[in-house]
Each structure stands twice: as structure tokens, then as C-alpha cells.
């Protein structure tokens, strides 16, 4: 719980500074690049999370990996390293993106399906969700063969489970109690 509170404070402060300096889009782009690097190169996360490494080494690595980042982003990352808060970086990035979506009237929706959504089905789901929420919808789609069929949609903290796996589970519960 403490980590979420810490991440919220840092994300909010950075967002306000970015708004004040007119650099929200640039910092959001920097964070997308950073998030992708952390996901695709696990060693980056290991280095950032390593408590044994001195802050100077971590800051040097960040500077070498991301020389094109906005000066505000660079300063922020250095601050996190100096304060030993770099372990909260994934949460801070996610919360910053959430604040940006809120400001733009957008909503992130996670869609999980048994198979890849083909053709216009993805667009149809996006359009329906947009109408239901009244916001522009950004979809994060992933496949999960364990669902057997159907889809699971996560809108904020609500989950709409239309998977065959869930239907079979409910049927089993109704039979066995």
C-alpha cells in the first residue's frame, strides 16, 4: 500500500510540473520508451532495482540508455535514483499515463480473448465500449487460450467476463453447489 501512495505522489508532482512546462506529451513519450525498455530488457529493471549499486552508476546507465529524453524526464529519473525510489518507477509510469488519459477524456480498457481478434471485431468492441463509457477508448488486447472462447473486458476496476471458461465454472457451481 505504501508503494502506491509513494508512486502517486511522484506521478502527480511530475504531471503538474509537466503541465506547467508544457511538456506532458514529451514526458509521456519518454515514459513509453522507458517502459518498453524495461519490458523488453529485463536487465534494465534488475539494475534499477539493485540496492547494492550506487546511485551514480544507475544515473550514468540511464543517461547512456536514454540520451534523447526531455531534461525534465532526466532530472526526474535522477531524483528517483537519489531518493532510492527507482523501484517505484513502473507504478509511477502507469499512474502518469492514467493521469494523461483522464486529462484527455480517454480510458484504458483491457481485453483478453481466447484467440486473436480479427477483422473489424476489435474496432466493434472499441466502438461499443466508447459509447458505453462516453470516453475515447484505448484498448490493450492480449490472448489467453485458457479462456477457451469469448472475451474478458476490464474497464477500470470492473470486470466483464464473457468467457466460456467462466460460463463452465458457473455451471459447475450451480450443479455442485
Amino acid at each position: 500500500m505504501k508503494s502506491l501512495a509513494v508512486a502517486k505522489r511522484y506521478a502527480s508532482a511530475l504531471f503538474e510540473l509537466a503541465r506547467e512546462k508544457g511538456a506532458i506529451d514529451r514526458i509521456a513519450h519518454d515514459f513509453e520508451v522507458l517502459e518498453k525498455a524495461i519490458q523488453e530488457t529485463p536487465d534494465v529493471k534488475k539494475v534499477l532495482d539493485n540496492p547494492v549499486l550506487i546511485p551514480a552508476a544507475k544515473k550514468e546507465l540511464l543517461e547512456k540508455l536514454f540520451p534523447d529524453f526531455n531534461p525534465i524526464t532526466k532530472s526526474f529519473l535522477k531524483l528517483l535514483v537519489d531518493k532510492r525510489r527507482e523501484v517505484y518507477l513502473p507504478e509511477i509510469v502507469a499512474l502518469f499515463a492514467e493521469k494523461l488519459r483522464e486529462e484527455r477524456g480517454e480510458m484504458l480498457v483491457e481485453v483478453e480473448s481466447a484467440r486473436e481478434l480479427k477483422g473489424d471485431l476489435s474496432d466493434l468492441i472499441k466502438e461499443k465500449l466508447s459509447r458505453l463509457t462516453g470516453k475515447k477508448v484505448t484498448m490493450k488486447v492480449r490472448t489467453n487460450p485458457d479462456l477457451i472462447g469469448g472475451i474478458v473486458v476490464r474497464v477500470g476496476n470492473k470486470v466483464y467476463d464473457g468467457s466460456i471458461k467462466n460460463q463452465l465454472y458457473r455451471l459447475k457451481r450451480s450443479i455442485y453447489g
Side-chain angles (χ1 to χ4, degrees):
M1 192 59 148
K2 179 185 176 194
S3 67
L4 186 60
V6 170
K8 276 184 179 181
R9 279 194 305 254
Y10 277 94
S12 294
L14 178 62
F15 193 82
E16 291 306 315
L17 177 64
R19 180 188 288 141
E20 181 182 305
K21 300 289 184 183
I24 291 176
D25 291 331
R26 179 67 181 143
I27 293 171
H29 177 265
D30 290 348
F31 275 178
E32 286 173 13
V33 170
L34 180 64
E35 187 175 32
K36 187 175 181 184
I38 289 172
Q39 287 174 354
E40 292 178 359
T41 314
D43 290 342
V44 173
K45 182 161 177 43
K46 284 180 188 173
V47 167
L48 289 173
D49 290 349
N50 188 339
V52 178
L53 277 177
I54 61 172
K58 291 181 181 184
K59 289 192 283 190
E60 184 180 327
L61 173 73
L62 287 168
E63 185 63 43
K64 285 182 181 178
L65 289 175
F66 311 108
D68 297 332
F69 275 10
N70 182 291
I72 296 172
T73 308
K74 287 181 182 182
S75 295
F76 180 75
L77 293 174
K78 288 175 184 176
L79 174 73
L80 287 179
V81 171
D82 287 338
K83 299 287 186 182
R84 298 282 189 181
R85 301 286 199 224
E86 62 273 17
V87 294
Y88 301 122
L89 194 54
E91 291 90 355
I92 293 169
V93 169
L95 290 165
F96 186 91
E98 187 178 309
K99 286 187 161 299
L100 181 61
R101 281 190 299 275
E102 282 176 23
E103 181 151 300
R104 292 180 174 168
E106 297 175 357
M107 174 178 272
L108 177 66
V109 175
E110 294 179 31
V111 177
E112 195 174 358
S113 70
R115 287 177 213 77
E116 185 179 332
L117 298 177
K118 296 190 180 196
D120 296 334
L121 187 56
S122 180
D123 292 335
L124 181 65
I125 293 170
K126 193 178 206 176
E127 182 183 316
K128 293 265 186 194
L129 290 170
S130 185
R131 265 192 265 132
L132 283 171
T133 61
K135 296 183 177 188
K136 182 180 177 201
V137 171
T138 304
M139 281 191 353
K140 190 178 201 180
V141 181
R142 67 188 153 135
T143 58
N144 179 357
D146 291 342
L147 296 179
I148 304 168
I151 63 172
V152 177
V153 178
R154 288 177 183 81
V155 181
N157 58 0
K158 290 186 181 181
V159 178
Y160 302 97
D161 193 339
S163 68
I164 292 177
K165 179 181 178 180
N166 183 50
Q167 291 172 18
L168 290 172
Y169 173 75
R170 290 188 350 210
L171 178 64
K172 178 182 171 184
R173 280 190 48 203
S174 71
I175 292 171
Y176 294 113

